[in-house]
Each structure stands twice: as C-alpha cells, then as structure tokens.
Amino acid sequence: MSNIKVLDKEFEPYISEQEIQIKITELAKQLNQEYAGKKPIFLSILNGSFLFTADLFRQITIEAEVCFIKLASYKGTTSSGNVITAIGLDANVSGRDIIILEDIIDTGKTLHHFLPQLESNQPSSIKIAVLLNKKEALAYPIKVDYACFDIPNKFVVGYGLDYDGLGRNTKEIYQLK
Ligand code: IMP
Ligand code: MG
C-alpha cells in the first residue's frame, strides 16, 4: 500500500482491507447472535457508511431490514441551536430494534441531535455500531455499542470516508500524513 493524495493533502495507509473485513465479519457474527429472532432494522447514515453497510449487511444471516438515511442539519430555534432532520426515514421504526450504522463517530454531535428524533418514533431499542470510533474527540454523551476500531483523533479517508467529497473509493483506510 502506498500513500494517496486527495486534493491538497497526502494520506498514508492506516487500516488494511483485510483488517477491515476481519472486524466486520466479527461484528456481523455478534449481531447475528444478539439479534436472532428480533428482525432488526439497520439504519445506515449516508454518505460515509455505504461501504461499511454493504459489507456488514451481506454477512447478516438473520431476518433483518436495512434503511438508508441522510442527516441534514440546519440552525434551528431549539436551545441547542441545532436541528437534525432525517431524510429518507421511511421505515416504521415503532416497536422495532434499531442498529444505527455510522462510518465514524467524531464529536458525537450529529447523533446526539438525531437520537431524540428517532426516539420520538418509539423504537423498542436503539444501538450504535460504528466502523471507527474517535474516542478522544467525543464531546457529547453518546454511547457507542459496537466499534470495529478505536482510533486516535486523526483525520482519515477511504472506505467510504471523504475529504471534501473525495477519497471515498478505496478498500483501505488512510490517515492524514
Ligand atoms: P460528529 O457529529 O462530530 O460525530 O461527526 C461525524 C461525521 O463527521 C462523520 O459521519 C463523518 O462524516 C465526519 N467525520 C468525522 N471525522 C472524520 C474523518 O476523520 N474523516 C472523514 N470524515 C469524518
Ligand atoms: Mg457520516
């Protein structure tokens, strides 16, 4: 594996395709056991999570649904000053077991503002599964239930993650040099 250039920045190899796939297979096995008979809904947050979702979901062998949503934030008049709307949340999540799929949790801000909206639809449970968990960057009270990798607070691209829209289309993950 060699360095890649995305726009003005250089990135070096960080997590290999094989390491990613091993962790995803482990996570799929765990979810297949824990959610057997529950018919969970995998709620994938676009755009970054599409490759993670595809590779995980094809290894889910229990009865399950998948739904892709986009979170759009705009300045609202709530006390937090942030309103997050989910575009494409067409599944009826009421009474269902939800597993949110995110490429990366950084500050946790996005999910922190989205969770109340999801909870208002009264799912039976909500868990969060992420490919990458930037533990040190977490600034909101978000509980990550499943993380394939804990990573330091460094900017990464590849395998769905972008820098200014580019760099998503690699099988490996790269970190800023
Ligand atoms: P949060 O709301 O701060 O947790 O930010 C989460 C979102 O920020 C992710 O879904 C990504 O889209 C983006 N993000 C955070 N860190 C990185 C990174 O290192 N590379 C690419 N995107 C990132
Ligand atoms: Mg994302």
Side-chain angles (χ1 to χ4, degrees):
M1 282 163 74
S2 45
N3 290 359
I4 58 165
K5 195 152 186 249
V6 182
L7 296 170
D8 58 324
K9 294 193 175 18
E10 190 155 339
F11 293 83
E12 59 190 11
Y14 182 41
I15 307 175
S16 71
E17 177 184 9
Q18 199 196 7
E19 287 174 289
I20 294 169
Q21 294 304 328
I22 286 170
K23 289 288 184 183
I24 291 178
T25 299
E26 281 174 17
L27 177 58
K29 277 187 187 153
Q30 193 180 351
L31 295 173
N32 282 330
Q33 284 173 4
E34 292 185 20
Y35 284 88
K38 291 188 164 175
K39 210 200 281 184
I41 301 177
F42 287 84
L43 201 60
S44 173
I45 314 227
L46 292 171
N47 293 326
S49 303
F50 74 113
L51 293 178
F52 172 44
T53 302
D55 284 344
L56 178 74
F57 198 66
R58 80 177 93 214
Q59 296 184 69
I60 295 298
T61 51
I62 58 170
E63 203 180 10
E65 289 179 48
V66 64
C67 177
F68 291 88
I69 62 166
K70 239 184 149 145
L71 297 182
S73 64
Y74 58 93
K75 281 216 159 51
T77 51
T78 60
S79 55
S80 70
N82 283 283
V83 179
I84 298 264
T85 31
I87 300 162
L89 184 52
D90 48 9
N92 184 4
V93 301
S94 167
R96 301 291 297 275
D97 292 293
I98 309 300
I99 305 160
I100 294 176
L101 299 182
E102 258 286 39
D103 50 351
I104 187 165
I105 296 272
D106 186 21
T107 64
K109 185 177 173 181
T110 316
L111 284 186
H112 178 70
H113 291 295
F114 167 61
L115 283 176
Q117 193 195 323
L118 187 59
E119 278 158 6
S120 73
N121 291 302
Q122 296 179 306
S124 130
S125 72
I126 302 173
K127 285 203 173 177
I128 299 171
V130 302
L131 180 67
L132 305 173
N133 189 15
K134 270 191 194 172
K135 270 189 163 172
E136 299 155 15
L138 195 67
Y140 291 81
I142 290 291
K143 183 173 169 274
V144 176
D145 299 284
Y146 309 94
C148 291
F149 299 95
D150 289 329
I151 65 165
N153 196 1
K154 265 204 163 183
F155 193 77
V156 293
V157 295
Y159 193 68
L161 291 129
D162 71 302
Y163 167 49
D164 229 359
L166 295 175
R168 296 189 197 273
N169 46 325
T170 65
K171 294 173 179 169
E172 313 82 16
I173 293 168
Y174 294 79
Q175 71 177 1
L176 189 62
K177 239 192 118 177

